[in-house]
Amino acid sequence: MGLDHIGFDYANAMAEAIGRENGINENELSKFAEGEGKKAAMALAQAQAAGSLAFADAPFDREMAEESKSLAEELHGKYENVVIIGIGGSALGCTTIHSALLHPMHNFMSHDERGGHPRWFVLDNVDPDITSALIEHLDLSKALFVITSKSGGTPETMANFAVVHERLVNLLGKSEAASRFVMITDPEKGFLRELVKRVGLHSLPIPTKLGGRFSVLCSVGMFPAALCGIDIEAFLAGARKMVELSLNATNPMESPANLAAMVYYLADTQKGKNINVMFPYSSRLTAFSDWFVQLWGESLGKEKNRAGEVISVGPTPLPAIGATDQHSQNQLFMEGPADKVITFIDVERFGSEVLIPDDFKSDPGIGYLAGHTLTELIRTEKLGTELALKERKRPTCSITLPHIDAEVMGQLLMMFMLATAFSGELYNINAFIQPGVDLGKKITKERLSAQ
Amino acid sequence: MGLDHIGFDYANAMAEAIGRENGINENELSKFAEGEGKKAAMALAQAQAAGSLAFADAPFDREMAEESKSLAEELHGKYENVVIIGIGGSALGCTTIHSALLHPMHNFMSHDERGGHPRWFVLDNVDPDITSALIEHLDLSKALFVITSKSGGTPETMANFAVVHERLVNLLGKSEAASRFVMITDPEKGFLRELVKRVGLHSLPIPTKLGGRFSVLCSVGMFPAALCGIDIEAFLAGARKMVELSLNATNPMESPANLAAMVYYLADTQKGKNINVMFPYSSRLTAFSDWFVQLWGESLGKEKNRAGEVISVGPTPLPAIGATDQHSQNQLFMEGPADKVITFIDVERFGSEVLIPDDFKSDPGIGYLAGHTLTELIRTEKLGTELALKERKRPTCSITLPHIDAEVMGQLLMMFMLATAFSGELYNINAFIQPGVDLGKKITKERLSAQ
């Protein structure tokens, strides 16, 4: 199996480290893996063989990769700004990738510093202040708009599209305006696809069986990434590595994704840890935490029938960021109710190195910082928090990234999509639907239609 | 009392609306207000009279306001960029105010479009990639650095300060570099204050009794706000209004802050709703949710002694943003475990108005959007989600803002600081300390000192 993939360290979630009240017993975990775990793994393997695990097939889709790269190449250098219009899964994956992999000051760089790649913006709400600020202050004549909606009829996305489209038509005329859109939508049906057929716009397909929150590895995430110069081949290779590792594992304990799912499930159902904190020690992974929140919450927060009774299941995902949230949420994690399992993400090598100079070496309070690097500081802070939580008998897990690049991010995102699907089997719910949101949409539509 | 202040609508958290299993009984709330509520209100009034409710005194501090304004005026027009270096409460308040009140494209505007006010950046982590990106790509010769640390020795803040200071000295020489800093710190002691005394830097004091997460209304939040052109007098006036409303109320039900605290407390302790979701329907309030997370979690997540036994208390705050998170977290809120109480924030009038054109009026799926404004859409979505959650018997509360401006934001921030202090009394814990974070800090310091 080698060591060239990220792993999942769960030692500090176990009874051996933090006691039986809060920790999982190692033997019970092994037994669970042999029983429920193997059953879940088999169910997923069957689903994949039957072609219904679309997200795990996505990184193997050569046609998708080629199409995304070739359209990105065709449009390269032509635009100063790209605006992704989408909401939920149609925005979060893209934001995660760009935040993690583009230079943190990308949007403040010149055209040449950016390598001719566009600045990027995401319009993922219908807040009139934001939409209006963007269309008033961005140079629209140099902007490309990527409209992402699986159904082709998401109200928020369609509203922003209509607003932007009208502006562009007024500014550039109908046919030139049409060239400024890339539609990422269902290959056959829906309003956007019909528009593509009628007007002849740039477009890329979203595989029919692929739901929004699992769509990051198809054109939804890969085209905007390629457009901004991210190596999507490396990204997809990382994702494939994780798929192979998981779906070929004879024991679910050998797959980091399945192992994580089992630890979280037992922490929730046996130890009452129904809040999953995602706590990366890297500002570039802030959006990753938000992506995880949607993936985990929307997939696992479900009603189900058990012995004729309707019950609600699903852990609540909570985003955090280290070291920052040591000054914000850590007091609650340390002294508040023992209802959380925390997952740290630790980065071994950052893209830059910064030395703390020794100007205040003689100060008794902070002199100890002098001569260390920021990497040493942030990683030691993670370790300090981890050990302190262990001392308090609060369960934590840890994922170590060798560095943050496209290949590692591909592994990480696929790991959590696989863990989510595996958890769906453990909770015995359908992780791929979201029936709970329909009622609110219906009420909204009725009210607006009546006015 | 008039209607010129924001209110707290709790109707949909009550048994009358959502049933006894999940909802609070109106009579029980009144009785609780008469008993525990009045006791808590009295305790806070006494604390204020004794001068130990520093955050509620802050908006009455004329000297602070004048000092912040006058330093902002002195420095006006001289800098293209301001970088706030701080962490936790020293960064979140400032980020909240700037995100809510500055133009969403402020940082992409020209000097003149910004009215001569600087672009703003916040360095609130020790991620080497972020610190290095900022110092490599910002024009440091035109940047002002605001270093905020109550103790004057916060490791993350001091590390970033040392790095930036060395750069500026190399670039501009020692004495010119010194002019580029504003130190916001304890009036008397700590490393930063000593430095101010020795070198003669710009500085503003943080009142001795004012803790980080309650410091937004002193120079910590007000100086960076004034520097960027925000009307801090209106901000402070809004905060004073909320203080007067709360601390003069004869019945705690008449204060929106105290009422919110009581509803949340009863939802947690009587109905098992131990997760507080903050769900504003405005992208400009995204950072407000993060500010609330720190305030609520760090203040109320505490151990306490009860009848000789140590127990953990404290609800878990969860940030959300509408309408975006309808596509991310709402499935969990609707169908997942009934362990949450949700607080919507609804904005009546946005700063801009955007009409959805009728290009696709004839489409059966999305035609109903045509002719509506984005304000109508986002507010109707909030209503749709609220009604759907009510149908599902999930408790929700609602705060309506007439619009987002400095005065309203002053009210809103003070409302939640008062609610936090009031909740501290109800949970019978000290809301103003954070002993749980000391162990992690100690371990970090020991490890770094040993290397």
Side-chain angles (χ1 to χ4, degrees), chain A residues 124-125 127 129 156 283-284 294 301 303 312 316 322-324 327 331 335 340 351-352 372 381 392 436 448, chain B residues 124-125 127 129 132 156 283-284 294 301 303 312 316 322-324 327 331 335 340 351-352 372 381 392 436 448:
Chain A
D124 66 348
N125 201 356
D127 181 324
D129 289 347
E156 297 86 354
S283 292
R284 307 179 84 143
Q294 185 208 17
E303 278 191 340
S312 287
T316 294
T324 309
H327 296 261
Q331 165 67 30
E335 289 203 354
K340 299 173 182 72
S352 313
H372 288 290
E381 293 208 53
R392 303 274 314 162
L448 286 177
Chain B
D124 66 347
N125 201 356
D127 181 325
D129 290 347
S132 123
E156 297 86 353
S283 292
R284 307 180 82 145
Q294 185 207 17
E303 278 193 338
S312 287
T316 294
T324 309
H327 296 260
Q331 166 68 29
E335 288 202 353
K340 299 172 183 72
S352 313
H372 288 290
E381 293 209 53
R392 304 273 315 162
L448 286 177

Side-chain angles (χ1 to χ4, degrees), chain B residues 71-87:
Chain B
L71 184 55
E73 224 160 275
E74 182 187 332
L75 300 172
H76 178 72
K78 291 190 182 163
Y79 299 102
E80 285 302 298
N81 308 299
V82 57
V83 181
I84 292 101
I85 299 183
I87 194 166

Side-chain angles (χ1 to χ4, degrees), chain A residues 381-445:
Chain A
E381 293 208 53
K382 179 259 179 187
L383 186 65
T385 302
E386 190 176 33
L387 293 174
L389 284 162
K390 182 180 174 189
E391 182 82 23
R392 303 274 314 162
K393 306 194 186 309
R394 307 296 162 113
T396 66
C397 306
S398 197
I399 294 168
T400 301
L401 308 184
H403 47 254
I404 296 178
D405 68 8
E407 202 261 334
V408 169
M409 287 304 294
Q411 285 191 38
L412 184 66
L413 296 186
M414 181 53 84
M415 172 180 163
F416 277 95
M417 288 192 281
L418 287 164
T420 302
F422 198 90
S423 299
E425 297 296 330
L426 297 179
Y427 282 102
N428 194 23
I429 49 96
N430 184 343
F432 302 104
I433 56 171
Q434 50 284 335
V437 302
D438 291 341
L439 179 57
K441 284 186 191 173
K442 186 170 157 275
I443 297 172
T444 301
K445 186 171 177 175

Side-chain angles (χ1 to χ4, degrees), chain A residues 313-331:
Chain A
V313 298
T316 294
L318 186 68
I321 200 79
T324 309
D325 280 328
Q326 293 184 189
H327 296 261
S328 171
Q329 302 195 68
N330 201 34
Q331 165 67 30

Side-chain angles (χ1 to χ4, degrees), chain A residues 200-222:
Chain A
L201 308 159
H202 296 301
S203 79
L204 292 165
I206 304 178
T208 309
K209 290 181 176 174
L210 199 53
R213 60 187 173 275
F214 290 91
S215 69
V216 59
L217 292 167
C218 83
S219 50
V220 171
M222 294 300 101

Side-chain angles (χ1 to χ4, degrees), chain A residues 87-88 92 103-105 107-109 113 121 124-134 137-138 153-156 158-160 162-163 165-166 191 274-275 282-284 293-294 297-298 301-303 312-318 322-324 326-332 334-337 339-340 350-352 354-357 359-360 363-366 368-369 372 374-378 380-381 383-384 387-388 391-392 394 434-437 439-440 443-445 447-449 451, chain B residues 87-88 92 103-105 107-109 121 124-134 137-138 153-156 158-160 162-163 165-166 191 274-275 282-284 293-294 297-298 301-303 312-318 322-324 326-332 334-337 339-340 350-352 354-357 359-360 363-366 368-369 372 374-378 380-381 383-384 387-388 391-392 394 434-437 439-440 443-445 447-449 451:
Chain A
I87 194 165
L92 286 165
H103 191 285
M105 293 293 281
N107 274 5
F108 294 94
M109 289 176 163
E113 287 172 326
F121 300 89
D124 66 348
N125 201 356
V126 281
D127 181 324
D129 289 347
I130 306 297
T131 298
S132 125
L134 211 62
H137 286 272
L138 218 57
T154 314
E156 297 86 354
M158 292 303 105
N160 278 322
V163 167
H165 181 256
E166 184 183 48
F191 174 78
N274 63 325
I275 297 176
S282 157
S283 292
R284 307 179 84 143
V293 165
Q294 185 208 17
E298 199 164 48
K302 295 279 157 67
E303 278 191 340
S312 287
V313 298
T316 294
L318 186 68
T324 309
Q326 293 184 189
H327 296 261
S328 171
Q329 302 195 68
N330 201 34
Q331 165 67 30
L332 175 67
M334 288 286 289
E335 289 203 354
D339 55 5
K340 299 173 182 72
F350 286 82
S352 313
V354 178
L355 184 74
I356 305 169
D359 302 356
F360 47 66
D363 184 82
I366 52 174
Y368 71 94
L369 295 170
H372 288 290
L374 291 189
T375 302
E376 286 167 349
L377 177 55
I378 197 170
T380 310
E381 293 208 53
L383 186 65
L387 293 174
E391 182 82 23
R392 303 274 314 162
R394 307 296 162 113
Q434 50 284 335
V437 302
L439 179 57
I443 297 172
T444 301
K445 186 171 177 175
R447 297 239 163 190
L448 286 177
S449 302
Q451 280 167 35
Chain B
I87 194 166
L92 287 164
H103 192 285
M105 293 292 281
N107 274 6
F108 294 93
M109 290 175 163
F121 299 89
D124 66 347
N125 201 356
V126 281
D127 181 325
D129 290 347
I130 306 297
T131 297
S132 123
L134 211 64
H137 286 271
L138 218 57
T154 313
E156 297 86 353
M158 292 305 104
N160 278 322
V163 168
H165 181 256
E166 185 183 47
F191 173 78
N274 62 325
I275 297 176
S282 156
S283 292
R284 307 180 82 145
V293 165
Q294 185 207 17
E298 199 164 49
K302 295 278 156 72
E303 278 193 338
S312 287
V313 298
T316 294
L318 186 69
T324 309
Q326 293 184 190
H327 296 260
S328 169
Q329 303 195 65
N330 202 35
Q331 166 68 29
L332 175 67
M334 288 286 289
E335 288 202 353
D339 55 5
K340 299 172 183 72
F350 285 81
S352 313
V354 178
L355 185 73
I356 305 170
D359 301 356
F360 47 67
D363 184 83
I366 52 174
Y368 72 94
L369 296 169
H372 288 290
L374 291 189
T375 302
E376 285 167 350
L377 176 55
I378 196 170
T380 309
E381 293 209 53
L383 187 65
L387 292 174
E391 183 82 22
R392 304 273 315 162
R394 308 295 162 112
Q434 50 284 335
V437 301
L439 180 56
I443 297 173
T444 301
K445 186 171 176 175
R447 297 240 163 190
L448 286 177
S449 303
Q451 281 166 34

